[in-house]
Amino acid sequence: MVEAVLWDVDDTIFDFSGSERTGLLRHFAAEGLPSGEAALDRWHRITAEGYARLAAGELTYGQQRRERVRAFVERPLADAEADAWHDRYVALFEAAWTAFPDVAAVLGALPYRQGILSNSRAVHQERRMRALGLRHHFEVLLCSDGLGCAKPDRSAFLAACAALGLPPSQVAYVGDQLDMDAVGARDVGLLGVWLDRAGSAAPVPGGVRRITALGELPALLACS
Ligand SMILES: [Mg+2]
């Protein structure tokens, strides 16, 4: 019997990819740079390289961000200029923040306690949920930076259940990543629900439930 629903945020509740895409395209255009799919691909490639150097300990977070900006604009920029360029992007990204259109109705209608478990920084997700007018739906908002562990580590799911004071068997987890979210949750004893918005043809592992829109969630939970 489900008593509570835990949620992923990015690309489950918050349209991270769409908001980022809109923010980037507007930013490139505002900076007088080529905009479009090729520019997005180039930015994402440069970003992946920057994050790899961050993960390898070659650069600090601030250094890799500036290096990404310099690589993208293909000009030497002082630190302050690179920071300002990135700040202008962030302002347009934040102006483009949106929740998926099926989110508000489902969060408001579910007769369960609700919480967030995200592999992000709590300060970011608190701001996003408040900006989108959704924060009041969630009793707890837990992120990997505060927990010291991240999905699909079982410790992350167990910490979220403990925060609700419920055993995993009474908690459902809803997320867009099959392995990290739904399989990870299932392996710890939660009801793992994979939100497959793209309607992919990927096989669904045993014990995992798949939905393609949040409107399917109330009936699924009511039968669980
Ligand atoms: Mg996600």
Side-chain angles (χ1 to χ4, degrees):
M1 189 74 168
V2 169
E3 297 287 339
V5 179
L6 285 167
W7 292 85
D8 171 54
V9 173
D10 294 341
D11 288 328
T12 295
I13 290 173
F14 169 55
D15 185 2
F16 182 95
S17 298
S19 304
E20 180 190 60
R21 175 188 171 86
T22 300
L24 284 169
L25 290 173
R26 288 178 180 163
H27 181 53
F28 298 158
E31 299 290 320
L33 296 164
S35 195
E37 297 305 321
L40 288 170
D41 288 348
R42 207 170 134 258
W43 174 258
H44 287 131
R45 192 167 60 248
I46 288 169
T47 296
E49 290 166 3
Y51 286 171
R53 295 181 71 190
L54 173 67
E58 285 178 42
L59 300 172
T60 66
Y61 188 83
Q63 286 170 335
Q64 62 81 27
R65 196 174 60 189
R66 291 171 189 136
E67 287 303 311
R68 287 194 282 125
V69 172
R70 291 176 181 123
F72 188 76
V73 302
E74 297 180 298
R75 283 189 290 129
L77 295 176
D79 285 357
E81 291 175 307
D83 289 343
W85 190 98
H86 199 274
D87 288 346
R88 294 194 292 277
Y89 157 63
V90 170
L92 291 172
F93 169 54
E94 294 191 0
W97 281 358
T98 47
F100 289 99
D102 56 0
V103 165
V106 170
L107 290 180
L110 285 179
Y112 309 102
R113 299 165 63 197
Q114 299 185 75
I116 281 172
L117 172 63
S118 165
N119 280 3
S120 181
R121 296 179 62 193
V123 65
H124 290 162
Q125 302 303 33
E126 284 280 1
R127 280 194 66 217
R128 287 171 187 163
M129 291 302 97
R130 289 183 195 285
L132 296 171
L134 301 173
R135 179 64 182 89
H136 64 284
H137 291 294
F138 308 108
E139 238 178 83
V140 297
L141 189 156
L142 300 167
C143 289
S144 50
D145 66 329
L147 292 173
C149 55
K151 302 174 296 180
D153 186 331
R154 58 189 293 112
S155 303
F157 292 104
L158 291 174
C161 293
L164 291 167
L166 291 171
S169 60
Q170 293 179 9
V171 181
Y173 190 83
V174 183
D176 68 296
Q177 297 292 311
L178 174 58
D179 292 329
M180 184 192 301
D181 294 330
V183 173
R186 178 206 66 182
D187 288 350
V188 187
L190 293 83
L191 176 67
V193 181
W194 177 33
L195 175 59
D196 176 20
R197 289 190 184 277
S200 77
V204 181
V208 166
R209 308 299 297 271
R210 172 181 173 269
I211 57 175
T212 57
L214 289 182
E216 300 167 37
L217 188 63
L220 185 156
L221 296 176
C223 297
S224 298

